[in-house]
Amino acid sequence: MSEKSKFSGCPATGIGSMPGGDAREAAKTVAGSFADGQGMPYLAELPARGPGADMTGRTIGMLVEMFGHVEPSGWRISDRPGRDTRRARSWLGEDLDALEEFTQGYEGLIKVQAVGPWTLAAGLELRGGEAMLGDPGACRDLAGSLAEGLRGHLAEVRRRVPGAEVVLQLDEPSLTAVLLGRVRSASGYRTYRAVDRQVVEAGLRDVLAVNGDGPTVVHSCAPEVPFALLRRAGADAVSFDFSLLTEREEETIGEAVEGGTQLFLGVVPGTDAASDGLSDPGGSVMGVRTLWSRLGLNPGTLTESVVVTPSCGLAGASPAYARAALAHCARAARSLADNPE
């Protein structure tokens, strides 16, 4: 499979989270929104259910020989699997059951999400209350546990949806803060030292590699996404909030596209927009066309280089808006394909 065809036939998708707590309803919405080649279904996350259903808790539930529990300050490492870890695993099983039910006979790409090793290290506390990020040895152990857990998770999804090719998405909203030394300590009075870029890149590469030749994506809805680093780490695609893109990042975007990296462009608001916010699919991708023109890129490459998404997860949206936003992503992608210039 060539680099430029890894996401072919999937013009749109969602980021991961959905509103509410009904796994079957979420799976039905996602599968229905992207049926018949409209886009890429994904395993929905439902953080409204509480700790263990949030993206960090879900990922902690996947770890191998490493456990977590909830403290008032957030997730903290545990010696054994307690109630919070068991709940995270139970909800993941419920979500997998729902995904399997609504993707019977599906053949194509299907996406799963997990928190990446660096955002996880920034958000998971050691026993003393400090982030794992401050301990290089703990970070290595965490990345190894995550890689092993994801290997099993991907195999389970393949077993349940045997006709699908599984896409692995790592959510790394804290990655830039890790690289720039902006992650605050437990006291809030200091920040953790910036992690060396080569160490960050190697950690990401090791975790992305668990999907073998399967497609991989790294998502961040934070500013200053390190595109070049993510490409070197082996990500086939980078997912980001298009509205946060700055002029100085545009050259890097051009290099990524020419190098065969796909862009998951968050152009649809992730929360209930103004009543007319989803009325113009073509308008939603106008900025994408303009960027292509400004960079001197061939408009004909838009459909093979771009996947249209919401700007971030949809957990904060109303159920009605979430359904409308996913349908709008599919319509906006069609508009881009029909009128690339």
Side-chain angles (χ1 to χ4, degrees), residues 41-85:
Y42 56 95
L43 179 62
E45 301 164 355
L46 301 173
R49 291 182 296 198
D54 58 299
M55 68 178 196
T56 300
R58 161 166 287 186
T59 304
I60 289 169
M62 296 179 191
L63 298 176
V64 172
E65 296 182 358
M66 197 174 278
F67 315 104
H69 67 277
V70 178
E71 293 278 344
S73 54
W75 282 92
R76 184 171 295 183
I77 214 75
S78 299
D79 293 322
R80 60 186 63 84
R83 179 184 61 186
D84 296 326
T85 298

Side-chain angles (χ1 to χ4, degrees), residues 141-187:
D141 291 345
L142 180 63
S145 175
L146 175 62
E148 193 60 35
L150 282 173
R151 200 171 279 115
H153 178 55
L154 293 168
E156 175 69 6
V157 176
R158 292 186 189 106
R159 184 185 69 77
R160 288 171 177 264
V161 195
E165 180 173 17
V166 183
V167 176
L168 172 61
Q169 175 181 304
L170 296 182
D171 293 320
E172 282 283 12
S174 299
L175 185 60
T176 300
V178 168
L179 289 165
L180 298 179
R182 294 177 181 167
V183 178
R184 295 207 163 273
S185 65
S187 67

Side-chain angles (χ1 to χ4, degrees), residues 42 86 121 138 186 193 213 230 267 277 302 305 330:
Y42 56 95
R86 287 195 296 270
R193 183 178 301 171
D213 293 330
L230 296 177
V267 297
L302 272 169
S305 299

